[in-house]
Amino acid sequence: MPVTTVNAPGPALRGLLEDDALALAEHVGRAEEELAGLPRPGLRDEDLRQFAASLVDSCRRARTAFLHRHAPAVYDALTDRRRKPLRLAGLARAAAERFPGLVPTDDQMTEEATRAQADKEGREIDQGIFFRALLTDPSVGEHLLDSMLAPTPRALDLLSDFRAAGRVDLGSVLVERREDVAHLTVNNQHCLNAEDNRLIDDLETAVDLVLLDDQISVGVVRGGVMTHPRYAGRRVFCAGINLKDLHAGRISFVDFLLRRELGCLNKLMHGVLVDAAPDAYPQRTLHKPWLAAVDSFAIGGGMQLLLVFDHVIAADDAFLRLPAAQEGIVPGLGNFRLSRMTGARLARRVILGGRRIRATDPEAALVCDEVVAPEAMDAAVEKAARELAAPAVVANRMMLNLADESRDGLRRYLAEFALVQARRLYAADVMAKVGRFSAPAARQSADGEHAP
């Protein structure tokens, strides 16, 4: 078994970007050659698994050291000194081309996408290292946050038609303007509105359209009526991350787990960027109030969504839960936001212990503003939307959110989240758990995070 790459020290970094980039590329290239000679992960015995882990670890330490020295210069090279804003996927692609060995190439990620999660090389961890370094730097992180707050190209392409028609079906999200209220209906029918790559794309596009349409004053998000046998004819808010897709390797770290937080949820909380100029007048971002209507349950990512809404109405037979720790992953920004609402002790019971909060529990009042009978939901939503349309609501909710969640605190959390979540995706306990949860006989067979 070759040992030169494993036992050799990392590349000698001397502080010059191009020289250090070349040294990194050579080090990673040697390791990749040895890795390519091994069986795929699922076919390796214990000795080969340890050898492959040593190869990969050597490269990750080298990437971390390189980025510790050069993250701002790397970012400037990729964005033409920050004159060319790039979203997450564009940054990863540009980095692979400009700095070989720093992040996975498109071909490597395409190959990974053909494999189940447990049979991947874990190249998304290398993306986590990259984005952690960028977000750790205050100036770079601020610029990247702005880039992710800008409207998506897809939303800009659809905006004129949406303004004219007042309706667009994005696939898993239906957006309808009724007078000055936008109703976003989540229709990911096959999995009880569990979150997958498509839903994250559709939801961010929908949020952009609502924020950019000047005929809309308020946005409402509600789950659609299900066709799934267990909930046929009933509305469901969200069953959390689609564990079946996670087990099959179809949940993207960049396009789902990071994009969700820096894009869709960040826009719900802090608005959409319409003018990147630091001296923009009257402001750089557009804001609108948001209302969530929770039918049946808000599990995992569904409960995380509630933490960025201005008003939450729940049916009295609904419940809330954040079971990510039981799956072994991090519940997005739930750790960052929940304790502000519930206090630290309850937040720990919910996140670390999987505490379920029923809408009728006293603790539900810390997350939900109203709890009504299921048959009263429509009227409650209409009434609350009218109240949120009051002229001063936009300015005050913007200032409340700024007071609750500083950009610097958000950036620092996201930096650590980028790497921690990437590593958890490939942890042995997570692989075992999602495999069990995705089995046909699993109790949560709805595909989401422990959907009942």
Side-chain angles (χ1 to χ4, degrees):
M1 180 181 299
V3 294
T4 52
T5 302
V6 177
N7 291 340
L13 303 180
R14 306 185 185 284
L16 297 176
L17 176 64
E18 298 304 334
D19 290 349
D20 289 353
L22 179 59
L24 174 68
E26 291 174 347
H27 182 81
V28 172
R30 290 192 297 269
E32 288 288 352
E33 288 178 5
E34 297 189 47
L35 199 62
L38 302 180
R40 60 193 300 163
L43 302 177
R44 294 169 190 164
D45 60 24
E46 183 59 27
D47 287 342
L48 287 179
R49 279 196 294 271
Q50 291 185 13
F51 176 66
S54 298
L55 287 172
V56 170
D57 185 67
S58 173
C59 292
R60 287 177 181 157
R61 291 180 185 278
R63 293 182 182 107
T64 302
F66 173 81
L67 286 164
H68 180 72
R69 291 163 174 78
H70 298 296
V74 167
Y75 188 76
D76 285 348
L78 302 178
T79 60
D80 189 20
R81 297 186 180 182
R82 309 185 195 186
R83 291 188 288 262
K84 178 185 175 183
L86 290 175
R87 289 173 61 84
L88 296 170
L91 272 173
R93 187 172 299 111
E97 294 174 357
R98 175 65 176 79
F99 298 99
L102 182 57
V103 293
T105 65
D106 279 351
D107 287 346
Q108 288 172 329
M109 292 308 299
T110 298
E111 170 63 21
E112 288 278 87
T114 67
R115 303 181 181 186
Q117 193 75 5
D119 201 32
K120 294 184 179 185
E121 295 287 0
R123 296 188 184 278
E124 288 173 314
I125 297 175
D126 303 320
Q127 295 175 326
I129 292 170
F130 175 65
F131 286 111
R132 178 181 184 269
L134 298 187
L135 289 162
T136 294
D137 182 88
S139 178
V140 170
E142 280 287 312
H143 192 271
L144 178 51
L145 285 175
D146 275 353
S147 298
M148 289 302 295
L149 283 179
T152 64
R154 184 185 181 199
L156 293 175
D157 287 343
L158 292 169
L159 183 58
S160 294
D161 289 345
F162 176 67
R163 282 173 168 160
R167 185 182 190 278
V168 62
D169 190 342
L170 299 171
S172 60
V173 179
L174 173 65
V175 190
E176 299 172 289
R177 187 178 62 237
R178 305 174 197 166
E179 298 181 356
D180 65 336
V181 177
H183 291 262
L184 282 62
T185 305
V186 181
N187 287 315
N188 219 12
Q189 294 283 345
H190 69 286
C191 55
L192 293 181
N193 286 342
E195 295 178 312
D196 52 27
N197 288 357
R198 183 184 74 162
L199 178 56
I200 296 307
D201 182 44
D202 289 348
L203 192 56
E204 183 177 3
T205 302
V207 168
D208 282 345
L209 292 172
V210 172
L211 290 170
L212 293 171
D213 185 352
D214 55 13
Q215 300 177 71
I216 293 172
S217 301
V218 179
V220 175
V221 177
R222 191 175 185 184
V225 177
M226 296 291 101
T227 57
H228 191 286
R230 297 190 70 170
Y231 284 83
R234 294 178 57 184
R235 288 183 182 268
V236 165
F237 189 71
C238 178
I241 191 171
N242 189 320
L243 292 176
K244 183 177 180 180
D245 275 8
L246 178 56
H247 173 69
R250 295 193 295 265
I251 293 295
S252 167
F253 171 68
V254 169
D255 291 325
F256 179 152
L257 293 168
L258 278 187
R259 175 183 176 179
R260 178 181 186 273
E261 307 303 336
L262 277 83
C264 179
L265 269 67
N266 203 15
K267 289 173 178 176
L268 285 166
M269 185 80 170
H270 296 296
V272 64
L273 184 76
V274 292
D275 190 340
D279 58 351
Y281 180 84
Q283 59 196 51
R284 305 170 72 234
T285 49
L286 283 177
H287 301 252
K288 287 176 185 175
W290 290 91
L291 184 155
V294 181
D295 300 274
S296 300
F297 48 78
I299 300 173
M303 185 174 178
Q304 294 167 40
L305 275 169
L306 305 184
L307 307 182
V308 299
F309 279 81
D310 302 292
H311 196 87
V312 176
I313 302 171
D316 62 14
D317 60 351
F319 70 88
L320 320 174
R321 192 167 179 232
L322 275 180
Q326 284 70 59
E327 277 91 59
I329 59 176
V330 178
L333 269 74
N335 308 59
F336 183 64
R337 293 176 171 138
L338 183 63
S339 61
R340 291 203 303 266
M341 290 186 172
T342 66
R345 299 321 310 171
L346 181 56
R348 280 169 168 75
R349 291 197 293 273
V350 170
I351 293 171
L352 303 182
R355 163 72 184 277
R356 177 184 297 206
I357 300 177
R358 299 187 181 278
T360 51
D361 291 344
E363 296 88 346
L366 299 171
V367 181
C368 303
D369 300 282
E370 296 181 66
V371 176
V372 302
E375 61 270 19
M377 286 288 286
D378 290 348
V381 167
E382 182 177 351
K383 178 176 181 292
R386 294 271 65 83
E387 293 172 352
L388 285 174
V393 168
V394 172
N396 279 286
R397 62 93 60 185
M398 181 183 74
M399 300 309 294
L400 281 168
N401 288 345
L402 285 173
D404 281 345
E405 187 169 293
S406 73
R407 287 259 294 194
D408 188 60
L410 176 64
R411 175 190 60 77
R412 288 187 289 110
Y413 180 93
L414 285 166
E416 296 307 312
F417 171 78
L419 183 53
V420 170
Q421 187 74 306
R423 294 186 67 206
R424 290 308 304 162
L425 286 178
Y426 294 93
D429 62 305
V430 174
M431 295 301 97
K433 289 171 183 175
V434 298
R436 185 175 75 249
F437 296 150
S438 298
R443 182 175 179 271
Q444 65 69 249
S445 57
D447 296 337
E449 293 182 86
H450 295 287

